[in-house]
Amino acid sequence: MPELTMQTETTPMRAMQPILRKPDATDGKLIWELVRSCRPLDENSIYANIIQADHFRDTCVLAELNGDVVGWISGHMIPNSDAFFVWQVAVSPKARGLGLGKKMLRELLSRDATAEARELKTTITQSNEASWGLFRSFARDVGGDLTDQPHFTEDEHFHGECATEHMVTITLPRAQASIARAA
């Protein structure tokens, strides 16, 4: 019989492994609260997070650690394309340093819903160092090329209210199963 270990207040969070799963509509408020705790991420409405968790559950992932929601990635396959678009990545401060962002990306790219993806795309502002670090590291891990170019511009799209979003594209040269196993 396997030995069971119980988490105590002294068990470091890093020793725990997050549970990754598909979200459901009842997770919407928890997702919204997580995103709010991860400033400067843009907050969607609770309703938008409910719709993401319900309608796009196959291309979104939720991470739980000790019963708490500590990670979230929303995404979708771009219509009429072989590209998977990552809309938002949120990792709770209490789960940072666990490699959770990359684990969630690998989980998503191992699913049937993303099996046709040959590229991963996302948009990132120049100042978002954490996102650049995550996606550059992920590209290295999967052996993909990362390119970027201004996409949604500060003046044309945001009328001076938000910084330019760069479209980041990572080629996915390996089979999806290899991506899921990549460390």
Side-chain angles (χ1 to χ4, degrees):
M1 189 164 174
E3 184 178 307
L4 299 176
T5 57
M6 182 179 290
Q7 181 182 7
T8 65
E9 288 184 30
T10 59
T11 304
M13 291 294 267
R14 294 186 193 292
M16 304 285 297
Q17 289 299 312
I19 296 169
L20 304 181
R21 66 174 175 84
K22 292 180 181 180
D24 62 50
T26 61
D27 294 314
K29 185 170 187 299
L30 298 172
I31 293 164
W32 180 79
E33 289 171 347
L34 172 65
V35 171
R36 287 188 78 200
S37 75
C38 295
R39 301 222 187 272
L41 289 180
D42 289 336
E43 292 176 32
N44 299 303
S45 68
I46 293 174
Y47 184 71
N49 292 133
I50 291 170
I51 294 298
Q52 288 173 320
D54 189 33
H55 294 189
F56 298 99
R57 72 184 308 259
D58 290 338
T59 55
C60 294
V61 64
L62 193 73
E64 293 178 316
L65 191 58
N66 196 31
D68 293 328
V69 171
V70 295
W72 163 249
I73 295 180
S74 56
H76 62 272
M77 288 297 294
I78 298 174
N80 305 312
S81 174
D82 61 357
F84 175 64
F85 183 81
V86 173
W87 181 352
Q88 193 168 50
V89 177
V91 175
S92 168
K94 61 184 163 186
R96 293 190 183 147
L98 300 175
L100 186 54
K102 287 197 293 186
K103 287 176 186 174
M104 291 188 296
L105 288 171
R106 285 192 299 272
E107 163 69 19
L108 287 169
L109 289 170
S110 73
R111 293 183 182 171
D112 289 343
T114 61
E116 300 301 316
R118 299 295 168 252
E119 296 178 325
L120 181 148
K121 292 182 175 274
T122 193
T123 58
I124 308 174
T125 59
Q126 284 291 79
S127 64
N128 190 334
E129 292 177 22
S131 286
W132 284 106
L134 168 63
F135 287 99
R136 284 181 178 132
S137 178
F138 182 77
R140 279 190 305 273
D141 285 358
V142 300
D145 294 322
L146 183 146
T147 59
D148 75 277
Q149 61 185 23
H151 190 69
F152 296 121
T153 63
E154 181 175 359
D155 294 326
E156 183 179 357
H157 297 95
F158 297 116
H159 305 278
E161 297 292 322
C162 297
T164 294
E165 294 274 351
H166 287 249
M167 179 64 74
V168 173
T169 302
I170 299 172
T171 58
L172 300 174
R174 298 180 186 169
Q176 298 296 345
S178 297
I179 291 170
R181 290 189 300 270

